[in-house]
Amino acid sequence: MADVLPNALRKSTLTVINLSSANIGPEICRTVAKSLKKTHSLKELILKNNPIGDGIGFLAEYFKYVTKLTNLNVSYSPVTEQGMVILSQNLHELQQMEKLSIYQLFDAACESFAQGIQNMKALELITLPLQGLSSSEAFRIVQRACQCPQMVELKITDMTSNCDLMVSCAADNLIEIPYLKIVSLYGKRDEGRVEIIKKECTITNGACNAVVRMLRRIGSLERLQIVSLWMPKEGLEEVAMACEDHHNLKTFRYSGECVPPGIDINNFKKIELY
């Protein structure tokens, strides 16, 4: 592939590079990065499900040549800490970014990453994985993401020991964003084992109350997804009722394995069990 890619990518009219699930490692990323000098019209760079490692940093060093990029997707692609630091330091080049999906973050990259997304005035979709981050840095990232004025879809994943704080942070910091339609909050995925979810991904009634306040504040919301997060009966009922009362919300998606005993889901028309 390394022999074929250079000629295939060196086209000034190229708008999309999609190399998902192609076993792309750091060296091929370096090849792709060098080609970015010639692809000034590039709109989408998609490298999902690849072992890119340091390659994310190689790509980021060439962002200055693809300032029209609107979609960067490296979800399910493990990266290194140094690679993410370099990516975060170069996000300021991508002022037209609309969709940003990454696989993992590191504390060392968080400050630059937070500044980078805050400066993306056109950002509509972001996926934020929080696993491994300290509570303070996770809070910083979530807070900044919730202040993006053009946001349409916010997805926060891999919340474990700090899930209660992160749910409250997201719910309380989401401003009146006129275009926000989807909020997705994901806890730890461990093959649906209830004992794992109860232990590591439990949110309190306080966090549930924050979600209720968010629902009352954001009238544009169409879909709320709370997956693999264990909510107490009282909190779940309050959130579900707020969803029922929401004039625009169509679906409240919730994990079936997280439904507490004693609650009758049939009483809530908008709940869709995952």
Side-chain angles (χ1 to χ4, degrees):
M1 181 180 289
D3 296 332
V4 176
L5 273 177
N7 290 330
L9 298 178
R10 287 172 185 166
K11 295 181 180 179
S12 60
T13 58
L14 193 66
T15 59
V16 179
I17 297 176
N18 189 339
L19 296 171
S20 299
S21 303
N23 198 32
I24 302 297
E27 289 310 310
I28 296 181
C29 281
R30 195 189 298 273
T31 300
V32 174
K34 291 179 180 179
S35 75
L36 298 182
K37 283 186 175 182
K38 304 291 185 180
T39 56
H40 302 296
S41 299
L42 193 68
K43 296 281 190 179
E44 299 184 51
L45 180 57
I46 304 170
L47 294 167
K48 292 171 58 178
N49 195 31
N50 285 296
I52 59 180
D54 282 330
I56 192 67
F58 303 155
L59 293 164
E61 289 174 337
Y62 287 79
F63 281 168
K64 59 187 176 183
Y65 299 107
V66 288
T67 55
K68 295 179 181 179
L69 198 68
T70 60
N71 182 8
L72 175 62
N73 191 331
V74 290
S75 56
Y76 304 103
S77 295
V79 296
T80 62
E81 180 178 32
Q82 181 59 25
M84 278 305 299
V85 168
I86 297 172
L87 171 84
S88 300
Q89 291 171 344
N90 286 276
L91 285 179
H92 67 276
E93 302 284 0
L94 306 178
Q95 293 297 305
Q96 297 185 41
M97 182 64 62
E98 297 175 2
K99 300 178 181 180
L100 178 60
S101 297
I102 60 174
Y103 180 68
Q104 59 191 130
L105 270 168
F106 300 88
D107 279 6
C110 279
E111 183 173 358
S112 296
F113 189 89
Q115 292 175 353
I117 61 175
Q118 191 170 32
N119 291 330
M120 292 178 179
K121 303 305 181 185
L123 191 63
E124 296 179 357
L125 180 153
I126 189 168
T127 301
L128 293 175
L130 302 184
Q131 187 171 11
L133 292 182
S134 64
S135 294
S136 59
E137 293 302 332
F139 189 94
R140 182 209 302 263
I141 289 292
V142 171
Q143 190 176 46
R144 296 289 181 86
C146 290
Q147 297 169 359
C148 295
Q150 300 298 317
M151 188 69 68
V152 175
E153 180 174 356
L154 173 65
K155 184 176 182 179
I156 304 173
T157 70
D158 301 300
M159 292 184 282
T160 52
S161 59
N162 59 3
C163 61
D164 194 61
L165 173 64
M166 291 305 104
V167 169
S168 296
C169 176
D172 284 333
N173 281 280
L174 277 169
I175 59 176
E176 183 61 40
I177 302 175
Y179 309 107
L180 186 64
K181 296 185 182 301
I182 303 173
V183 173
S184 301
L185 306 171
Y186 284 76
K188 182 176 181 179
R189 295 193 173 195
D190 199 299
E191 300 178 355
R193 291 171 57 191
V194 174
E195 66 273 18
I196 296 294
I197 297 170
K198 278 186 175 181
K199 179 181 178 182
E200 299 189 10
C201 299
T202 298
I203 59 177
T204 63
N205 283 327
C208 294
N209 290 337
V211 173
V212 170
R213 292 194 298 271
M214 177 194 73
L215 287 163
R216 292 171 178 167
R217 188 169 63 246
I218 302 179
S220 59
L221 206 61
E222 294 182 359
R223 186 177 182 89
L224 173 64
Q225 303 189 140
I226 299 180
V227 179
S228 294
L229 287 169
W230 186 275
M231 302 169 72
K233 179 177 180 292
E234 180 183 348
L236 177 56
E237 287 177 335
E238 289 185 1
V239 171
M241 185 57 68
C243 289
E244 296 295 313
D245 294 339
H246 197 287
H247 71 280
N248 207 46
L249 193 85
K250 297 178 177 64
T251 303
F252 170 32
R253 190 169 181 244
Y254 189 66
S255 296
E257 72 271 13
C258 294
V259 176
I263 186 171
D264 188 355
I265 293 299
N266 295 322
N267 291 333
F268 305 103
K269 297 180 180 179
K270 293 184 180 180
I271 284 189
E272 177 184 290
L273 294 182
Y274 170 74

